[in-house]
Amino acid sequence: RATNNKSFPVSIPWDTELSPKNANMDEEASKHHEERRNTLLVLLNCSLLAVGAVGGQLLSRMYFLHGGHKRWLSAFTVTAGFPILILPIAVSYKRRRFLIPARLAAASGLLGLLLGFNSYLYSFGTAYLPVSVASLVGSSQLAFTAAFAFLIVKQRFSHYTVNAVVLMTLGSAVIGFHMDGDIPKGESKGKYALGFFMTIAASATHALFMTLLQYTQGKARVPVDYDVVLQVQLVISMVATLFCAVPMIINGDFQNLAREAAEFGLGEKKYYMIVVLAAIGLQVMIIGSLGLVLCSSSLVAGIVTSLLVPVRQVSAVIFLREGFDAEKGMALALCLWGFASHLYGRYRAGSEKQDTDDRNPQQFEHGNGNNLG
C-alpha cells in the first residue's frame, strides 16, 4: 500500500500543470508576433498614403493648371495604376496558392463602383480648387468617417474624438465662408463654389466607402495579411478604373488625348509624364488608404489623411506657388488642434487599458473587444 501511495502522484501534476503553461506561452508569443506584424503593416500603409496623397494630388492639380480639362481622365488616374499590384500578387499566389473568397471579391467589386464615383467627385475639387483649399475642405472626411463608423460598425468614441471631429469640421467651415479670397485667376465664383461642395460630397462618399470596406472585411471573417490586402485592392481598383473608363470612351476622351497633349502648357512630353506619374502616385495613395482600413480601421485612415493636411499645405505653397492667408492658417490650426485632441484621446485610452490589464491579468485570456476612438 505504501508503495502504491508513493507512486501514484509522480507523473500527473507535471502533465496537468506544465502543459497549459506552455500553451499559454505559445499563444502569447503568437499574439505578440501578430501585433508586431500588424504594426509594421500600419506603418507601411501610412508611408504609402503620405507619399501618394501629397505627390499624386500635386500632379493632378498641375494637369488642370496647365491646360488639362478632362475630369473623367483625372478620376481615371486615381486607380488606373492598379497593374502595379499584379506582380506582388502573382509572387504571393505562387508561394501560397491563396485567393480571397468569392463573396469578398464580389463585395470588393461593388465597393469599386463606389470608389469610381468618388474619384469623379474629387476630380471637381482638383479642377477648381487650389490644393491648399481642397486639402483643408477634405479634412471634413474625418467627421463623416466618425459618423459612418458609429452607425455602421458601431465604433464607440471618447469625448476627445468628438472634440476632434467638431474642430476639423469648423476648419472646413472657415474655408467655406471665405470663398472669395482664393479663387484662381480666370475661374468663376460659381465653378469655385461647385468645386467646394463637390469636395465635401467626395469626402462624405469616401468616408462611406472606407467604413463599408471595414464592415465588409469584418463580415468576411478572413484573417488580414498583405496577400488579402493586395487582392482586395486589385479588385476594387480594377472595377473603379473600368467605371471611369466607360464615360471616357463615350465622350471620346481617349481619342482626344493626343490633341490635349499637343496643347498642354508644359509641352507634350511633360503632359504624358504628369498623367502617368499622377496615376502611379494616386494608386500608391489608394494602396495605403485601403491597407490602413483593412489593417486598422476606417477612422485611423481618416485621421492619417487629416494629419497630411499641413504637409499638403506646405507642398502647395512651395511647388505650386499658392497663397497662404489668415483664413487658411485658422483652418489649419483647427485641423491640427482636432488631430492632437484625438491623438491624446487614443493615448489616454491606451494608458487606461494598460492599467486595467496590469491590475487584472486575466483579461488577456478573455480578450477585450472595446474599441475606443
Side-chain angles (χ1 to χ4, degrees):
R1 291 181 183 176
T3 304
N4 291 336
N5 289 338
K6 290 180 181 179
S7 61
F8 178 74
V10 170
S11 61
I12 293 179
W14 289 94
D15 292 339
T16 56
E17 291 181 11
L18 287 184
S19 182
K21 282 185 179 180
N22 291 333
N24 288 336
M25 290 176 63
D26 291 342
E27 183 179 353
E28 186 175 348
S30 176
K31 188 180 298 184
H32 285 312
H33 175 71
E34 184 177 350
E35 289 177 355
R36 285 197 301 269
R37 184 184 65 180
N38 190 67
T39 300
L40 290 175
L41 287 176
V42 169
L43 292 175
L44 174 60
N45 285 301
C46 285
S47 302
L48 293 175
L49 175 58
V51 172
V54 176
Q57 189 171 14
L58 288 175
L59 290 167
S60 296
R61 181 58 181 165
M62 286 179 65
Y63 165 78
F64 286 107
L65 282 176
H66 297 285
H69 59 273
K70 299 184 185 301
R71 289 190 296 272
W72 276 113
L73 174 61
S74 177
F76 178 83
T77 58
V78 173
T79 52
F82 73 88
I84 66 177
L85 298 171
I86 295 176
L87 180 60
I89 289 177
V91 172
S92 171
Y93 178 76
K94 186 176 180 180
R95 177 172 52 88
R96 293 184 56 193
R97 301 289 177 182
F98 171 79
L99 292 174
I100 58 175
R103 291 182 62 183
L104 180 57
S108 299
L110 294 175
L111 289 171
L113 296 176
L114 181 60
L115 180 60
F117 176 67
N118 173 252
S119 300
Y120 182 66
L121 292 177
Y122 264 124
S123 70
F124 274 88
T126 306
Y128 298 139
L129 296 180
V131 172
S132 54
V133 174
S135 61
L136 285 169
V137 175
S139 66
S140 62
Q141 176 183 313
L142 179 61
F144 292 115
T145 302
F148 288 129
F150 176 77
L151 294 173
I152 297 175
V153 298
K154 310 302 181 184
Q155 184 154 5
R156 292 183 292 166
F157 305 114
S158 67
H159 61 277
Y160 295 104
T161 299
V162 175
N163 182 56
V165 169
V166 172
L167 289 170
M168 289 185 167
T169 304
L170 287 176
S172 298
V174 169
I175 295 294
F177 288 130
H178 189 66
M179 285 189 180
D180 294 334
D182 203 21
I183 299 179
K185 292 181 180 180
E187 186 173 301
S188 67
K189 185 177 180 180
K191 288 184 176 180
Y192 187 87
L194 177 63
F196 177 86
F197 290 112
M198 292 294 263
T199 302
I200 292 289
S203 299
T205 308
H206 194 67
L208 176 62
F209 163 78
M210 292 197 301
T211 308
L212 288 176
L213 176 62
Q214 180 183 349
Y215 177 81
T216 300
Q217 188 273 328
K219 287 294 184 180
R221 301 182 184 277
V222 177
V224 176
D225 57 24
Y226 221 63
D227 295 334
V228 174
V229 172
L230 289 176
Q231 291 183 36
V232 168
Q233 289 172 345
L234 179 65
V235 176
I236 291 176
S237 297
M238 183 170 56
V239 173
T241 303
L242 292 174
F243 177 87
C244 296
V246 172
M248 290 184 66
I249 295 172
I250 295 174
N251 296 334
D253 288 348
F254 287 111
Q255 296 89 324
N256 295 325
L257 281 180
R259 186 175 63 184
E260 186 177 67
E263 299 172 354
F264 193 63
L266 298 178
E268 187 173 354
K269 290 183 179 180
K270 288 187 177 180
Y271 173 86
Y272 290 112
M273 184 176 68
I274 287 174
V275 170
V276 171
L277 290 178
I280 295 174
L282 292 171
Q283 184 61 55
V284 169
M285 177 191 72
I286 293 297
I287 292 173
S289 178
L290 301 190
L292 268 182
V293 175
L294 293 172
C295 296
S296 184
S297 71
S298 56
L299 187 61
V300 170
I303 292 165
V304 174
T305 301
S306 299
L307 177 61
L308 293 175
V309 169
V311 181
R312 292 178 180 177
Q313 292 274 334
V314 174
S315 300
V317 172
I318 294 174
F319 296 106
L320 301 181
R321 299 291 188 267
E322 292 183 3
F324 190 83
D325 52 24
E327 285 75 13
K328 288 184 184 179
M330 183 180 299
L332 179 59
L334 288 170
C335 288
L336 292 176
W337 185 6
F339 174 78
S341 174
H342 181 82
L343 196 64
Y344 180 71
R346 291 182 68 85
Y347 168 76
R348 286 287 301 271
S351 299
E352 291 171 1
K353 181 178 182 300
Q354 184 63 44
D355 291 342
T356 303
D357 292 340
D358 290 341
R359 289 193 298 269
N360 185 14
Q362 295 297 323
Q363 277 194 338
F364 284 115
E365 298 180 7
H366 302 290
N368 189 349
N370 293 340
N371 190 2
L372 300 175

